Amino acid sequence: MEYILASASPRRKELLSQILNKFEVIPSCADEKVNISLFPEQMACALAESKCDAVFALHPNTTVIGCDTVVVFGKEVLGKPKDKTDAVKTLKMLSGKTHYVITGVCVRNRFKKVVDFDRTEVKFNILTDEFIQNYVNSGSPMDKAGSYGIQDGGIVKEYFGSYTNVVGLPVTLAQKLIKEVISDI
């Protein structure tokens, strides 16, 4: 059975390698426009499904894993920052506060498709302006939902739920969905 990760994220690739020995990485070119009327969980799942479906359409004899992560603060859904100014604004907004990270995961092959999500509660440390500026200037937040990586030191005070979900691929959920899809073969 061939597997494909429909993501360019090096973090997702690293996490998926914890549960699959061999897979190919083919980033999805699916449109990442979101339906803002959806709940955040539905939004993450719809985006993950869209990415998975786009790659599966080109590789129908494989099992494809697609993911999408959103950060939810209050009623606002935060994606990747548009630029450095947006990243600074987001980090200042999240400083010292609690938010949720939701990752949708879709796994499909020609026999079955399953979609689910994981949610983790995350509390930030209080971040100084100097810390935020240095972090943003490092470039690290620019490709991450919520403008941060939990694996980057000094940002997260505590979290409740899956650490790997916050990194971008909830490993336990992905493993469960992969088993569910391939059990039908």
Side-chain angles (χ1 to χ4, degrees), residues 107-119:
V107 180
R108 77 171 294 186
N109 59 25
R110 65 179 189 245
F111 303 106
K112 189 171 187 177
K113 175 165 64 171
V114 292
V115 185
D116 204 350
F117 68 91
D118 202 348
R119 177 180 22 194

Side-chain angles (χ1 to χ4, degrees), residues 26-80:
I26 301 177
S28 170
C29 56
D31 186 6
E32 290 194 41
K33 285 187 181 172
V34 293
N35 179 345
I36 57 171
S37 69
L38 297 175
F39 289 108
E41 295 83 357
Q42 294 170 312
M43 190 181 297
C45 287
L47 288 166
E49 188 173 6
S50 174
K51 290 176 179 180
C52 186
D53 288 350
V55 172
F56 182 77
L58 301 171
H59 304 275
N61 295 318
T62 64
T63 298
V64 179
I65 301 108
C67 311
D68 197 81
T69 301
V70 296
V71 171
V72 181
F73 179 67
K75 293 183 179 185
E76 192 172 352
V77 176
L78 309 171
K80 297 173 187 171

Side-chain angles (χ1 to χ4, degrees), residues 1-182:
M1 174 60 53
E2 286 188 43
Y3 295 95
I4 295 175
L5 173 61
S7 174
S9 166
R11 295 165 300 281
R12 285 191 179 123
K13 179 182 177 186
E14 183 180 321
L15 290 169
L16 188 59
S17 70
Q18 293 177 16
I19 54 176
L20 290 177
N21 292 328
K22 188 177 174 190
F23 59 92
E24 195 174 344
V25 174
I26 301 177
S28 170
C29 56
D31 186 6
E32 290 194 41
K33 285 187 181 172
V34 293
N35 179 345
I36 57 171
S37 69
L38 297 175
F39 289 108
E41 295 83 357
Q42 294 170 312
M43 190 181 297
C45 287
L47 288 166
E49 188 173 6
S50 174
K51 290 176 179 180
C52 186
D53 288 350
V55 172
F56 182 77
L58 301 171
H59 304 275
N61 295 318
T62 64
T63 298
V64 179
I65 301 108
C67 311
D68 197 81
T69 301
V70 296
V71 171
V72 181
F73 179 67
K75 293 183 179 185
E76 192 172 352
V77 176
L78 309 171
K80 297 173 187 171
K82 296 176 194 78
D83 53 31
K84 285 184 175 186
T85 302
D86 190 37
V88 168
K89 178 182 149 228
T90 299
L91 292 166
K92 284 184 178 189
M93 180 175 63
L94 296 176
S95 178
K97 298 188 178 72
T98 299
H99 62 277
Y100 294 90
V101 177
I102 300 164
T103 301
V105 180
C106 178
V107 180
R108 77 171 294 186
N109 59 25
R110 65 179 189 245
F111 303 106
K112 189 171 187 177
K113 175 165 64 171
V114 292
V115 185
D116 204 350
F117 68 91
D118 202 348
R119 177 180 22 194
T120 304
E121 181 179 333
V122 179
K123 181 168 184 167
F124 263 27
N125 286 312
I126 295 172
L127 307 177
T128 65
D129 288 347
E130 181 182 8
F131 179 92
I132 290 171
Q133 201 58 57
N134 288 336
Y135 183 60
V136 170
N137 287 339
S138 77
S140 186
M142 302 315 295
D143 67 339
K144 297 174 180 75
S147 301
Y148 77 96
I150 192 171
Q151 65 277 17
D152 298 335
I155 298 168
V156 173
K157 181 175 184 173
E158 60 186 341
Y159 65 93
F160 301 96
S162 167
Y163 174 87
T164 61
N165 176 50
V166 183
V167 178
L169 177 70
V171 172
T172 302
L173 175 63
Q175 187 169 31
K176 174 184 158 252
L177 296 180
I178 291 166
K179 283 182 181 176
E180 191 175 328
V181 166
I182 64 169

